[in-house]
Amino acid sequence: MIHTEPVFRQNYKFVDSRDLAEYVRAETSTNHQSYRLRTLLSGISPGPDKVMSALSGKVQTVLGLVDPGQLGRTMTHEHLTMTFECCYFPPSPADKAVSEAPIEMKNLFWLKQNPYSSPENLLLCQELEAVKEELLFYRRAGGGTIVENTTTGISRDIKTLKRLAKETGVHIVAGAGFYVDVTHSNETRKMTVEKLTDIIVSEVLHGADGTDIKCGVIGEIGTSWPITDSEQKVLKATAHAQAQLGCPVIIHPGRNSAAPAAVVRILQEAGGDIGKTVMSHLDRTIFDNGELLEFAKMGSYLEYDLFGTEILNYPYNLEVDMPSDSQRVRNLAFLVAEGYEDRIVIAHDVHTKNRLTKYGGHGYSHILNNIVPKMLTRGISQSQVDKILIDNPRHWLTFK
Ligand SMILES: [Zn+2]
């Protein structure tokens, strides 16, 4: 085995894991296996183990496997095409007219304060041309990669992601798995943990949504607060799939400061790899520094991913004081000072139309253009910025 492995790798060039899986399957079914192949296959089971070794040390984008060194600056939590109708928040009667009006300049501030009360605003999927332009702008601003976290329930469109990656040159990593409970279908709710695991594994190894385009990360896996039964099953399936694949995971926690730790405990008990898991949305979830440090000790990546969002009355939890970008940067500086510079990742989580520059929003380049200079004036060094934008995402996204 030790001897045959390099021979195998030298002689056959596999574009991605599916090629390898298909190759092994095809070759094992022929009557005339070569001596080399017989040697290779004796004592090993062709299938998942070999496929996994093809993924190991690589990052899986919608265009195939890439070397982690190619990623460059990476936003670890964005959406390029999705729908968010699941989370529509009815406006007050006084706002009904404006909520139904087309998006125009004079409504932009209202929209910024009430993004979830305009049905039109929830259809990011209608803005592909604007998103493409933004991705080209992102590249010019020095961006390399975007993790596109749209999962089942909020209209993942993996074919479009592939097209956008081809047309813009931005590496795009797609997400496997399921969003929050309100988006689970009855069929999903009835599934066993084993069935859910199979689906997630297949989205990574073979492709999602009936295509051969593969996901490179599990998540964002959606959870509510309290965590529902169906979400608990999905979390267990996520951990099982991660244990099999050695892949990155990203979690959307419920809006309660106890939610991130509760999710981590479920993943841990089910065999998940917390060191390879991102906890998203900390900016709207944990507000107390002591609590933040307690959570940080659990070992996940810590994600501040609502850069650019300032909203006074956060409809999903009125208790939340959404931080400003200055306060977010202060949180990053605090975590850096506490020794967590290897665990921080950041993003904008664009998920509605008004976040795009076309509608007066911050777009995908706000962090590179505005937040990085601010970080540098707040005690975060250039090499720490590079860790947050390049090294940490690269380590997280690389398959074990
Ligand atoms: Zn998201």
Side-chain angles (χ1 to χ4, degrees), residues 24 44 78 80 82 104 121 165 199 233 277 294 323 334 336 351:
V24 172
I44 63 158
E78 304 293 351
L80 302 175
M82 64 172 277
E104 52 184 331
N121 195 37
I199 290 173
K233 281 194 293 178
T277 298
E294 275 308 301
F334 170 72
V336 166
H351 58 281

Side-chain angles (χ1 to χ4, degrees), residues 24-247:
V24 172
R25 211 177 300 126
E27 288 295 333
T28 49
S29 66
T30 59
N31 294 327
H32 306 288
Q33 291 174 7
S34 69
Y35 170 74
R36 189 192 295 117
L37 195 62
R38 279 203 307 277
T39 314
L40 170 77
L41 294 174
S42 60
I44 63 158
S45 56
D49 288 352
K50 295 313 296 172
V51 174
M52 254 57 95
S53 72
L55 290 168
S56 180
K58 300 284 186 191
V59 173
Q60 184 153 264
T61 74
V62 290
L63 294 180
L65 296 177
V66 300
D67 195 73
Q70 291 177 17
L71 298 185
R73 295 185 185 84
T74 301
M75 299 297 135
T76 49
H77 192 136
E78 304 293 351
H79 301 271
L80 302 175
T81 171
M82 64 172 277
T83 58
F84 207 44
E85 291 154 307
C86 61
C87 299
Y88 172 70
F89 194 85
S92 66
D95 284 349
K96 201 166 178 321
V98 66
S99 76
E100 287 164 5
I103 300 174
E104 52 184 331
M105 283 284 273
K106 66 179 181 182
N107 300 340
L108 290 184
F109 189 75
W110 179 86
L111 202 57
K112 191 174 172 176
Q113 295 300 333
N114 302 276
Y116 308 115
S117 299
S118 153
E120 191 196 333
N121 195 37
L122 306 179
L123 300 174
L124 186 66
C125 60
Q126 295 176 338
E127 297 294 343
L128 294 181
E129 274 314 301
V131 166
K132 182 180 158 186
E133 240 175 73
E134 294 243 6
L135 287 177
L136 294 169
F137 187 61
Y138 175 69
R139 267 196 78 189
R140 285 198 295 276
T145 300
I146 281 186
V147 180
E148 214 285 4
N149 291 268
T150 307
T151 43
T152 298
I154 44 175
S155 312
R156 177 181 52 207
D157 180 355
I158 204 160
K159 275 188 197 162
T160 294
L161 299 185
K162 183 174 179 176
R163 184 164 68 79
L164 286 169
K166 263 190 189 156
E167 290 175 2
T168 65
V170 173
H171 296 293
I172 297 175
V173 178
F178 302 84
Y179 196 55
V180 295
D181 186 292
V182 292
T183 70
H184 292 186
S185 66
N186 286 336
E187 200 191 349
T188 301
R189 274 175 224 285
K190 284 188 208 134
M191 286 178 189
T192 61
V193 172
E194 291 69 31
K195 177 67 186 162
L196 291 164
T197 307
D198 286 349
I199 290 173
I200 294 171
V201 167
S202 177
E203 287 177 350
V204 174
L205 292 187
H206 303 300
D209 307 329
T211 74
D212 62 355
I213 309 164
K214 300 167 195 79
C215 299
V217 55
I218 303 175
E220 61 182 302
I221 295 299
T223 59
S224 315
W225 187 258
I227 302 167
T228 70
D229 290 348
S230 192
E231 289 168 351
Q232 298 230 16
K233 281 194 293 178
V234 171
L235 284 173
K236 286 177 192 162
T238 295
H240 294 174
Q242 187 185 32
Q244 284 183 43
L245 298 169
C247 67

Side-chain angles (χ1 to χ4, degrees), residues 293 296 302 331-344 384 387 392:
L293 288 184
L302 308 165
N331 280 337
L332 300 185
F334 170 72
L335 286 169
V336 166
E338 292 289 334
Y340 287 100
E341 64 190 53
D342 294 332
R343 305 309 295 170
I344 303 167
Q384 288 164 335
K387 273 192 178 183
N392 298 347

Side-chain angles (χ1 to χ4, degrees), residues 259-275:
V263 169
V264 165
R265 278 192 289 273
I266 293 169
L267 293 173
Q268 254 164 351
E269 279 168 25
D273 182 351
I274 304 310

Side-chain angles (χ1 to χ4, degrees), residues 246-311:
C247 67
V249 162
I250 183 163
I251 302 292
H252 162 112
R255 294 172 181 86
N256 185 290
S257 65
V263 169
V264 165
R265 278 192 289 273
I266 293 169
L267 293 173
Q268 254 164 351
E269 279 168 25
D273 182 351
I274 304 310
K276 222 168 170 44
T277 298
V278 167
M279 188 56 64
S280 303
H281 310 326
L282 288 179
D283 16 10
R284 57 92 167 129
T285 312
I286 299 182
F287 302 96
D288 177 80
N289 279 352
E291 262 185 280
L292 181 59
L293 288 184
E294 275 308 301
F295 178 69
K297 278 187 212 152
M298 297 184 90
S300 75
Y301 284 101
L302 308 165
E303 187 175 81
Y304 283 78
D305 52 24
L306 296 166
F307 275 100
T309 303
E310 291 183 26
I311 176 170

